[in-house]
Amino acid sequence: FLYFFLFISGILMFPAHSVPFITKETELSMGRSANKEVLQQFGIYQSKALEIYVNKIGQNLISKLINKEFSNYYFRIVDSSEINAFALPGGYIYVTRGLLASLNSEGELASVIGHEIAHVTMHHGAKMMIRSIGAQIMSIGGAIASPKNASQWLAVSSAMFQQINMGYGREAELEADAQGMMISMDAGYKPHEMINFLKNLRKQEIMSGQS
């Protein structure tokens, strides 16, 4: 009964724009916890100049948003040769050195970062967590609502980061494509930059034998 009471209380305390069962403070705590895993697994690519460059582009995109959702965003380059970018709940965004090597313009990079920003502002990570733990929500009850328990809740789904690393699913990725293109356009980049990047990515997939 106590869990059920806390569970219902947690629902009632969330504003309309948030994700059911999760406050923004909890999303921030989840992001901080998962960020440690990312840094441990990949490590930061050691190039101060590139780090400043990527962060400058990211912060410029954020400055154009009407609704930032979170007050701070963190842009990092991880030391991986894979062509990838991903975002964690709460504003933690990563691009790999492999992705940077595959880009042909700043506009392409801005479109990729815009796509990841969209994942954050649309709370795709938090929504995925809800789907991932499914029926376990009731057993945890209102503990989800507390940022203090975010790291414990994160452990409920040990595959969370792996799922995020592989993408949020077709619907969410298409949403992030559309929103990400708008974000980059608002910052002055051309919409075809994202199209060019995706075409180039597809060519590289074909050349490497990926389906």
Side-chain angles (χ1 to χ4, degrees), residues 57 61 75 83-87 93-96 99-100 102-103 105-119 176-177 180-181 184 193-194 197-198 201:
I57 293 174
L61 295 174
F75 300 92
I83 300 174
N84 201 8
F86 52 93
I93 293 170
Y94 311 84
V95 297
T96 64
L99 182 138
L100 292 178
S102 71
L103 297 171
S105 70
E106 181 177 301
E108 290 187 14
L109 175 58
S111 71
V112 171
I113 295 176
H115 172 103
E116 299 305 329
I117 290 172
H119 278 313
D177 280 342
M181 182 180 286
S184 61
E193 297 283 13
M194 177 177 281
F197 170 72
L198 293 174
L201 186 63

Side-chain angles (χ1 to χ4, degrees), residues 49-100:
L50 273 179
E51 179 184 338
I52 293 172
Y53 177 64
V54 169
N55 185 65
K56 181 180 179 181
I57 293 174
Q59 299 300 342
N60 181 46
L61 295 174
I62 292 296
S63 70
K64 309 302 180 183
L65 294 180
I66 296 175
N67 187 358
K68 298 178 174 60
E69 288 297 306
F70 300 96
S71 57
N72 295 306
Y73 282 73
Y74 309 91
F75 300 92
R76 295 188 169 116
I77 307 171
V78 293
D79 194 6
S80 171
S81 61
E82 292 183 7
I83 300 174
N84 201 8
F86 52 93
L88 295 174
Y92 293 84
I93 293 170
Y94 311 84
V95 297
T96 64
R97 60 176 172 83
L99 182 138
L100 292 178

Side-chain angles (χ1 to χ4, degrees), residues 17-201:
H17 63 269
S18 64
V19 182
F21 317 123
I22 305 177
T23 64
K24 287 184 181 180
E25 289 77 12
T26 301
E27 281 195 69
L28 285 167
S29 295
M30 287 194 300
R32 280 193 293 268
S33 297
N35 175 59
K36 295 176 183 177
E37 288 188 38
V38 172
L39 299 184
Q40 184 174 7
Q41 179 171 338
F42 292 104
I44 292 296
Y45 183 58
Q46 298 301 313
S47 173
K48 194 65 177 178
L50 273 179
E51 179 184 338
I52 293 172
Y53 177 64
V54 169
N55 185 65
K56 181 180 179 181
I57 293 174
Q59 299 300 342
N60 181 46
L61 295 174
I62 292 296
S63 70
K64 309 302 180 183
L65 294 180
I66 296 175
N67 187 358
K68 298 178 174 60
E69 288 297 306
F70 300 96
S71 57
N72 295 306
Y73 282 73
Y74 309 91
F75 300 92
R76 295 188 169 116
I77 307 171
V78 293
D79 194 6
S80 171
S81 61
E82 292 183 7
I83 300 174
N84 201 8
F86 52 93
L88 295 174
Y92 293 84
I93 293 170
Y94 311 84
V95 297
T96 64
R97 60 176 172 83
L99 182 138
L100 292 178
S102 71
L103 297 171
N104 295 307
S105 70
E106 181 177 301
E108 290 187 14
L109 175 58
S111 71
V112 171
I113 295 176
H115 172 103
E116 299 305 329
I117 290 172
H119 278 313
V120 175
T121 59
M122 301 175 85
H123 304 277
H124 285 158
K127 292 173 183 177
M128 188 190 72
M129 284 295 293
I130 289 293
R131 292 194 301 270
S132 297
I133 67 174
Q136 296 181 72
I137 290 176
M138 286 304 294
S139 66
I140 298 172
I144 311 172
S146 173
K148 296 179 181 178
N149 296 328
S151 61
Q152 296 174 17
W153 186 51
L154 190 64
V156 170
S157 176
S158 59
M160 187 200 82
F161 168 63
Q162 294 303 323
Q163 291 176 26
I164 287 178
N165 199 26
M166 294 174 66
Y168 290 99
R170 182 176 295 274
E171 182 179 351
E173 294 300 336
L174 289 174
E175 284 181 348
D177 280 342
Q179 187 65 24
M181 182 180 286
M182 295 300 296
I183 290 172
S184 61
M185 286 175 61
D186 287 344
Y189 296 98
K190 303 298 183 182
H192 69 261
E193 297 283 13
M194 177 177 281
I195 298 170
N196 290 343
F197 170 72
L198 293 174
K199 285 181 176 179
N200 182 46
L201 186 63

